[in-house]
Amino acid sequence: MANEVRIDLTDPDLFADGPPHSVYEYLRDEAPVYWHEPTSNTPGDEGFWCLTRHEDVNWAVRQPDLFSSVSGGDRGGGGTLIEDLPTGIAAGVLFNMQDDPRHRHVRRLVTPSVSPGRLRQIRAGLADRCATLLDEALERETCDFLVEVAAELPLQAIASLLGVPQEDRHFLLDWADATLDYDDHNPGETSRRSLEAGAAMSAYCARLLEEKRAFPADDMLSVITTAELPDDAGPGGPLSDLEQQMFFHLLVAAGSETTRNSITAGLLAMLDRPELWETLRADRTLLPAAVEEMLRWASSTVYNRRTATGGAERHGRLIRPGDKVVLWWQAANFDERAFADPLTFDIRRSPNPHLAFGAGNHFCLGANLARLELTLVFDGLLDRVESIEPAGVVERTRSNKHAGFRHAPVRFRPVAG
Ligand code: HEM
């Protein structure tokens, strides 16, 4: 078996046609704690551990002291990508690449901005935006669902949560595309496009943060720019300029890229099984379970990495301090030990303990917002659309980090009358 399965989880081409199920299955069955040798895509020439079973990923992610999101051992860099990012510039500074207690303090500050109460407040506005997008898409004979619907709504939502003027949102999307998509560069590398986009985004962000400091309003960036952390957040006082900038970058990326891919993956799963669309149209109470299944199916964040701060033993393998440990959410979400018939898209799946949003102290901050966005899109479509057909070639992004799409042309047949 080992000879038949080529294991290089750093190769973006392995993910070009969707999740590499045969590799995941082999790893889960034969090597649940697998030492991945370095490849040409791992700068620093360092290997890493791969966890692919649901229970093992859960085991690691729930021990943040042992598996750090910053660094560990005598490692200079760190973070949650396979490649090391410089500590003090990205690792330890980006909110999702901080450890507690600082991470916990920052999380407390921003949680109210995505609380159920806050989401109830923005729901009607988002539903209106969603209705407009869907009505426009239905007016055309064919629609690039990814570009015209799935990418638009999350971007509008994150722009309004952060307090970014709506007219600037496409600028944000271009930036996210250029830096997160490995179309013209491999993981760990930059391209001219990604560097230029990064520089433009930094300049934009610096101006916006200045504005928020001067005129704070009722939005997440205002909270971040005016916050004072207690001393045990180490250091206390305001977040550093870099932390504030990185927070903005993270939220734009996390808020837009992942959700659009889950929405699109959900729609494409329905395209393959038209009877599911009919079932959902007949019984809308199934929508919440269907949304969870879309999230599992898409697994749009493929992995996050941690670094061991101490030694650990699992399945007879010894993880040493400083070792990189990669949590493959996508592999865990298709683990037959946790999900019956995992390769079937089942809109009635219950329970559905997917790890699409991660788990533990870094559990996705935007999970409920993402759920709301998926619900609004599919509720709106179920109201308006009788059936959906493919209308061209679906293009996926080339990435082992974000399972996504670039184009998804479809034709909607509107409900009669
Ligand atoms: C379907 C859509 C989404 C998916 C699949 C997703 C996935 C994830 C995952 C797997 C993590 C855990 C990272 C780790 O443990 O290292 C995470 C964290 C995070 N997500 Fe999401 N996410 C989605 C939508 C969003 C949205 C809409 C936002 C915007 C508010 C967002 C903001 C964040 C933030 C800020 C974190 C870091 C949380 C922390 O470190 O405490 N995500 N997300």
Side-chain angles (χ1 to χ4, degrees):
M1 182 76 178
N3 295 335
E4 293 163 25
V5 180
R6 187 181 77 90
I7 299 172
D8 181 359
L9 289 168
T10 70
D11 177 4
D13 288 336
L14 184 69
F15 299 79
D17 298 322
H21 286 303
S22 56
V23 175
Y24 288 156
E25 192 185 338
Y26 170 75
L27 291 176
R28 283 188 308 254
D29 288 350
E30 307 294 331
V33 181
Y34 174 77
W35 178 251
H36 197 300
E37 292 297 337
T39 72
S40 56
N41 288 320
T42 49
D45 210 26
E46 285 186 66
F48 51 92
W49 295 104
C50 292
L51 302 185
T52 45
R53 284 189 192 171
H54 190 274
E55 68 161 346
D56 294 332
V57 170
N58 245 317
W59 164 78
V61 76
R62 289 176 194 282
Q63 301 186 77
D65 291 342
L66 183 56
F67 297 106
S68 162
S69 292
V70 180
S71 198
D74 53 8
R75 177 174 298 285
T80 61
L81 303 183
I82 291 175
E83 64 267 25
D84 271 338
L85 298 179
T87 307
I89 295 177
V93 177
L94 269 163
F95 165 60
N96 66 321
M97 299 192 194
Q98 293 183 327
D99 286 336
D100 292 343
R102 190 168 191 80
H103 161 264
R104 187 175 57 238
H105 283 294
V106 178
R107 188 158 172 130
R108 251 187 229 146
L109 288 174
V110 291
T111 300
S113 305
V114 283
S115 67
R118 179 81 184 116
L119 293 184
R120 268 195 300 279
Q121 284 171 4
I122 65 167
R123 185 181 176 121
L126 266 187
D128 282 349
R129 291 173 201 277
C130 183
T132 307
L133 290 174
L134 293 178
D135 288 337
E136 286 172 3
L138 258 80
E139 273 167 22
R140 290 183 276 276
E141 202 193 318
T142 61
C143 136
D144 186 339
F145 184 71
L146 183 275
V147 175
E148 292 165 33
V149 179
E152 276 290 331
L153 189 69
L155 202 59
Q156 295 188 5
I158 200 68
S160 78
L161 271 191
L162 284 172
V164 174
Q166 286 297 333
E167 62 272 18
D168 294 343
R169 65 179 192 267
H170 280 113
F171 173 71
L172 301 190
L173 185 65
D174 291 345
W175 169 80
D177 277 349
T179 47
L180 300 175
D181 180 0
Y182 296 126
D183 187 36
D184 58 358
H185 61 292
N186 283 330
E189 297 170 357
T190 50
S191 68
R192 196 164 150 205
R193 180 172 165 240
S194 73
L195 285 175
E196 283 174 1
M201 181 72 156
S202 295
Y204 175 82
C205 169
R207 276 198 310 276
L208 188 65
L209 291 173
E210 271 309 317
E211 246 175 74
K212 298 290 172 193
R213 273 176 217 130
F215 308 104
D218 176 22
D219 58 57
M220 229 189 217
L221 273 192
S222 296
V223 171
I224 283 293
T225 50
T226 56
E228 293 278 333
L229 295 176
D231 286 345
D232 73 320
L239 278 80
S240 72
D241 280 357
L242 188 60
E243 260 177 312
Q244 296 181 21
Q245 289 219 14
M246 293 300 234
F247 185 85
F248 175 71
H249 284 233
L250 169 70
L251 265 282
V252 173
S256 53
E257 176 83 8
T258 46
T259 317
R260 67 161 133 154
N261 291 326
S262 301
I263 295 172
T264 305
L267 188 89
L268 295 175
M270 300 277 186
L271 265 189
D272 290 343
R273 308 255 314 273
E275 76 282 6
L276 295 182
W277 194 252
E278 282 161 33
T279 309
L280 269 180
R281 288 197 67 222
D283 182 359
R284 204 70 68 90
T285 64
L286 292 172
L287 187 55
V291 164
E292 293 309 307
E293 183 66 344
M294 292 176 196
L295 289 162
R296 181 188 78 89
W297 192 252
S299 290
S300 50
T301 297
V302 177
Y303 79 81
N304 283 105
R305 174 197 138 195
R306 301 291 189 260
T307 306
T309 57
E313 203 239 303
R314 189 81 176 165
H315 297 295
R317 308 299 306 265
L318 207 59
I319 299 172
R320 294 156 307 169
D323 282 356
K324 298 177 178 183
V325 180
V326 179
L327 317 177
W328 293 93
W329 312 118
Q330 190 176 62
N333 282 342
F334 289 89
D335 184 355
E336 47 287 313
R337 293 157 195 82
F339 302 94
D341 210 359
L343 293 175
T344 299
F345 179 77
D346 176 3
I347 57 170
R348 290 192 168 82
R349 186 178 294 282
S350 174
N352 190 343
H354 67 76
L355 296 173
F357 291 126
N361 63 338
H362 287 279
F363 180 76
C364 177
L365 184 76
N368 285 333
L369 175 61
R371 287 183 167 119
L372 173 61
E373 291 166 8
L374 270 106
T375 305
L376 291 176
V377 169
F378 284 95
D379 227 4
L381 279 176
L382 289 163
D383 284 343
R384 291 170 174 74
V385 172
E386 194 163 305
S387 63
I388 312 158
E389 293 158 17
V393 178
V394 171
E395 273 181 53
R396 287 180 179 269
T397 48
R398 188 175 157 265
S399 166
N400 68 345
K401 182 72 178 73
H402 297 284
F405 302 90
R406 204 171 289 115
H407 297 289
V410 295
R411 188 173 296 113
F412 292 123
R413 196 145 66 81
V415 172

